[in-house]
Amino acid sequence: MRIAIDMDEVLADAHGGQRRLYAAEGHTFTDDALRGQELKEVAPPEAVTAVERHLHQGTFFANLDPMPGAADALERLCEDHEIFVATAAMDYPASCAHKVAWMMRHFPFFDLSRLVMCGDKSILKADVLIDDHTRHFDGFGGKGLLFDALHNANVDWPHRLTHWDHAHDTLREMQS
Ligand SMILES: [Mg+2]
């Protein structure tokens, strides 16, 4: 199969990184407060503006932790499938070089010719797209696999990946 995989909140813990930025602005949130909502929907507008300014500088994306199990899962998937990493990097144009460096650091086995910096993901042609936002499945020709996140906890979607350790089994179930 050809599988396209999102970066932020799927391979990279951008949620954890943003929570640290909000904490630096004096705002902390419980998981319960964030279930079903984006950070920027819960945080005060002035804090959102400060965090967005930081995100647009780009360096934020160089210092994110990988999601648990992501490196092992991606390496295994690359053995059996044609894997592309597809990130809507145009949301933060200054992030591009940092995202490339981040991939090289945490996923050194990954072929960078298969790293796709895009805007609208409907351009992607793959069998499966793993993403934490269902809006990226709009117009996508393959099957969307929703990666579990607090913000999408209440989203009803037929295919959900709850942890990278389950990737192999979940993808097999989707094929049957
Ligand atoms: Mg994402």
Side-chain angles (χ1 to χ4, degrees), residues 3-15 64-71 73-74 77 84-87 102-103 107 121 129-133 136-137 145-149 151-152 161-164:
I3 303 169
I5 303 175
D6 176 35
M7 281 183 80
D8 294 328
E9 297 196 53
V10 175
L11 293 177
D13 186 10
H15 177 81
L64 299 176
D65 296 323
M67 294 292 274
L74 193 67
L77 288 173
F84 285 78
V85 169
T87 177
W102 188 87
M103 283 299 299
F107 304 84
K121 292 189 182 181
L129 170 60
I130 304 176
D131 206 295
D132 62 301
H133 283 107
H136 291 305
F137 303 146
L145 175 55
L146 186 63
F147 196 88
D148 224 26
H151 70 79
N152 67 32
L161 182 56
T162 53
H163 190 286
W164 274 114

Side-chain angles (χ1 to χ4, degrees), residues 70-87:
D72 286 345
L74 193 67
E75 191 161 17
R76 280 190 60 196
L77 288 173
C78 285
E79 291 169 6
D80 297 334
H81 302 282
E82 191 184 5
I83 303 296
F84 285 78
V85 169
T87 177

Side-chain angles (χ1 to χ4, degrees), residues 51-59 61 90-95:
V51 167
E52 284 294 314
R53 195 180 305 126
H54 201 91
L55 297 184
H56 276 287
Q57 289 169 1
T59 50
F61 297 91
M90 293 314 128
D91 292 348
Y92 300 101
S95 71

